[in-house]
Amino acid sequence: MNPMISVVMSVYNAQNYLSEAIESILNQTFDDFEFIIINDGSTDKSLDIINHYAKKDDRIIVISRENKGLIYSLNEGIKKAQGKYIARMDADDISLPQRFEKQLNIMNQNDDIGICGTSVIVFGNDIKEKIWKLSQQDSILKTELLFSSCFAHPTVMMRKK
């Protein structure tokens, strides 16, 4: 049986943050997902970290090859995805534990919504915490898409169809 969600994450030399990113996905309150991690030719210890988690959790699918870039890697992961929904994740970000549960509720209750993203909390050692509030209105989002991405990629869940 196919998972409800396919999580797609491309990794390139992300050893410093990768464990936290992976754990934030594995610790979601909604757990019917596959986690497709593409090692995009990393030269640091990223592949070792990915393989460590893959040995512990069979939801992780590892693709490892030479560097082909983010867009190629994401398209490769999407082609492999078996879920009804695709959730994006970046190797240097953290998802809150109820992310998938909350996004699925919205998507399942609103057939007219094709993509669901969230605002972002930016934090770090040298960064004062701040929140990036992103648009929520359909008409504003469509206008913003003409000029740039109006979604924070590691927060996005979309219907695969």
Side-chain angles (χ1 to χ4, degrees):
M1 183 134 175
N2 291 343
M4 181 64 70
I5 301 170
S6 295
V7 184
V8 178
M9 180 172 75
S10 177
V11 177
Y12 179 72
N13 291 345
Q15 70 181 16
N16 293 341
Y17 309 103
L18 187 54
S19 290
E20 287 179 276
I22 291 172
E23 288 179 19
S24 78
I25 297 300
L26 297 179
N27 292 322
Q28 290 292 303
T29 55
F30 182 87
D31 63 1
D32 181 17
F33 61 83
E34 64 181 354
F35 191 1
I36 302 166
I37 305 176
I38 301 99
N39 177 53
D40 189 27
S42 295
T43 57
D44 65 358
K45 295 184 181 185
S46 292
L47 183 57
D48 293 337
I49 294 167
I50 296 165
N51 285 333
H52 167 78
Y53 284 99
K55 288 177 188 169
K56 294 172 26 175
D57 196 310
D58 62 1
R59 294 175 294 180
I60 297 176
I61 298 164
V62 180
I63 299 170
S64 185
R65 48 148 176 77
E66 72 280 357
N67 182 267
K68 294 187 178 185
L70 178 63
I71 304 302
Y72 185 95
S73 297
L74 294 179
N75 284 329
E76 185 177 10
I78 289 168
K79 286 178 190 170
K80 182 134 182 96
Q82 298 296 309
K84 178 178 179 181
Y85 299 99
I86 294 176
R88 273 281 290 115
M89 182 60 182
D90 282 340
D92 62 349
D93 291 313
I94 298 170
S95 288
L96 296 176
Q98 292 182 314
R99 172 191 168 189
F100 294 166
E101 183 179 343
K102 289 179 178 183
Q103 287 181 306
L104 270 176
N105 285 338
I106 290 168
M107 300 295 279
N108 287 332
Q109 293 173 14
N110 299 278
D111 289 337
D112 59 326
I113 294 177
I115 186 168
C116 176
T118 71
S119 293
V120 175
I121 301 171
V122 180
F123 64 94
N125 292 337
D126 299 327
I127 299 171
K128 183 178 178 187
E129 184 177 298
K130 62 181 176 179
I131 297 176
W132 291 353
K133 292 264 185 194
L134 302 171
S135 301
Q136 297 180 20
Q137 295 177 320
D138 185 60
S139 60
I140 293 173
L141 291 169
K142 286 177 180 173
T143 302
E144 288 177 355
L145 276 172
L146 293 172
F147 304 101
S148 66
S149 175
C150 55
F151 298 101
H153 284 233
T155 74
V156 168
M157 180 178 289
M158 64 194 96
R159 296 180 194 281
K160 184 171 183 193
K161 67 178 182 174

